[in-house]
Amino acid sequence: MTSTPARWPDAAQAVMKGDLTVAAAYVTPAGGAVITSVSPLGLVDREAGRLSFTTSIGFPRKLERILRDPHVSLAYHTRDHGFAGNSSYVLAQGTASVDLRPSPERLADLMRASEPFLGRTKRGPVWDWLLREYHQERVFVDIGVERVALWPDLAARGTLTVTGSAWPRTPPAQEPPKNGTGPRVDVTAAVRQIRSLPHRLLAYRGADGFPVILPVAVTGHDGTGLRLDVPPGLLPPGGRRAGLLAHAFRPQCVGLGMRTFTGWLTVTDDGACYAPHTSKGLAAPPYKTLLTVSNGLLAKYGLWRARRDGTAARLERLATRGPVD
């Protein structure tokens, strides 16, 4: 992390404080990027140059990879159901640390921060028992911001403004995987799965190790993959591993859908083609009470499983040891 925190402009601050859902990307050991959606709940410390979001120990793969390689990026790509009024696309990149045992005070602050975004927390003896793990076993991912890139519109087009570290050089092409670069999941099925998910973003590992997250549009498909329309000049030529996210969400995240892919991106003079290799989906019910019950039960099960199979202890060891070179 740089010695001086990045100082981002007011337009970026408003977006960071107000967006309900953002895209988060981290890198893989093979040099790819995984991209998913998170709700950061306005957890911004501008003076310290820090952004935060929370997750659960029930999602250990994400935490393990961040602990091993802390290059993390957040893309503020939609104003849906949030509080920010401007139309800027904001990409924040930085070095992450993981707080596996947040203090009671920090957890209380999180609950207060969540209510404007997610609604009033349910209370009472039954709800307190059901939601105990969901509220009290949160894990914080804190990002020491090193660069903030801002475009004037949500399509990431127009003049780029960068604060903090300078925008890096173009990364070289990567070696293709041994199993080939073509699709390993049904492309037509993938198109069908994301048809109702309007927010689509692509992530790849930049030359300095930080994921670059860009909005994309799917303009067609064939046996070689998905045809992508991307902001001009922002995708490096050649082939590389990349992640793709398609998602949708409703007010207070009551009802959401998400499809994440890993795969191979090829950029030529003719355009960009994405060949999906893996595909995972997630859906949450559009009914708040049912969603709350599901969250509580999943948190209880996830914590029980993490303790039973040694995941919790493994994450503690990784957090103590620090990033792996």
Side-chain angles (χ1 to χ4, degrees):
M1 180 177 163
T2 54
S3 57
T4 302
R7 301 293 184 182
W8 49 82
D10 291 343
Q13 174 73 0
V15 169
M16 292 169 176
K17 291 290 291 183
D19 274 6
L20 173 60
T21 296
V22 310
Y26 52 93
V27 297
T28 69
V34 176
I35 179 171
T36 187
S37 65
V38 300
S39 293
L41 307 177
L43 299 178
V44 181
D45 188 336
R46 194 179 189 183
E47 288 301 311
R50 186 179 70 192
L51 302 172
S52 303
F53 65 89
T54 67
T55 184
S56 167
I57 203 170
F59 298 99
R61 177 65 66 87
K62 177 199 306 181
L63 291 169
E64 285 184 17
R65 286 184 168 169
I66 291 174
L67 286 167
R68 292 180 182 276
D69 187 332
H71 292 83
V72 174
S73 298
L74 297 180
Y76 298 78
H77 64 283
T78 173
R79 302 293 94 88
D80 286 1
H81 315 308
F83 306 109
N86 70 59
S87 59
S88 301
Y89 181 90
V90 178
L91 173 64
Q93 301 171 310
T95 303
S97 59
V98 177
D99 184 359
L100 291 171
R101 297 183 179 275
S103 68
E105 292 77 16
R106 192 172 195 192
L107 291 170
D109 288 343
L110 173 65
M111 291 187 67
R112 285 190 289 269
S114 72
E115 292 196 343
F117 292 91
L118 303 180
R120 186 175 296 277
T121 302
K122 291 184 177 294
R123 303 285 188 178
V126 174
W127 289 114
D128 291 346
W129 171 83
L130 178 65
L131 299 174
R132 181 178 57 210
E133 288 78 8
Y134 182 74
H135 290 311
Q136 300 302 317
E137 299 293 339
R138 304 303 296 174
V139 174
F140 283 78
V141 178
D142 298 313
I143 304 167
V145 179
E146 301 192 18
R147 178 186 299 118
V148 174
L150 183 145
W151 288 265
D153 67 78
L154 290 172
R157 299 173 190 268
T159 303
L160 167 63
T161 301
V162 178
T163 55
S165 301
W167 192 257
R169 60 181 175 82
T170 300
Q174 295 179 340
E175 290 293 324
K178 294 180 180 179
N179 293 332
T181 61
R184 300 176 194 170
V185 300
D186 187 278
V187 176
T188 301
V191 171
R192 185 171 61 251
Q193 290 164 344
I194 68 174
R195 186 169 293 143
S196 63
L197 306 175
H199 304 298
R200 287 91 180 266
L201 299 110
L202 181 80
Y204 67 90
R205 184 181 182 183
D208 57 359
F210 292 113
V212 178
I213 308 173
L214 299 171
V216 298
V218 179
T219 59
H221 69 281
D222 56 27
T224 64
L226 307 174
R227 302 294 170 180
L228 303 181
D229 179 45
V230 299
L234 294 177
L235 280 187
R240 68 197 63 253
R241 299 175 188 270
L244 183 69
L245 166 70
H247 73 114
F249 59 99
R250 301 185 185 187
Q252 299 184 358
C253 288
V254 179
L256 59 86
M258 180 170 66
R259 176 66 55 172
T260 59
F261 301 91
T262 62
W264 186 259
L265 173 70
T266 303
V267 178
T268 67
D269 291 339
D270 295 327
C273 180
Y274 185 76
H277 291 174
T278 67
S279 173
K280 293 183 179 180
L282 173 69
Y287 308 102
K288 186 162 187 176
T289 298
L290 180 57
L291 175 64
T292 304
V293 171
S294 298
N295 286 339
L297 293 176
L298 286 172
K300 285 181 179 296
Y301 172 73
L303 181 62
W304 171 82
R305 184 183 60 185
R307 289 172 174 169
R308 182 174 181 269
D309 66 12
T311 295
R314 185 169 66 253
L315 291 173
E316 290 278 4
R317 289 193 298 270
L318 280 172
T320 301
R321 184 170 59 183
V324 177
D325 295 330

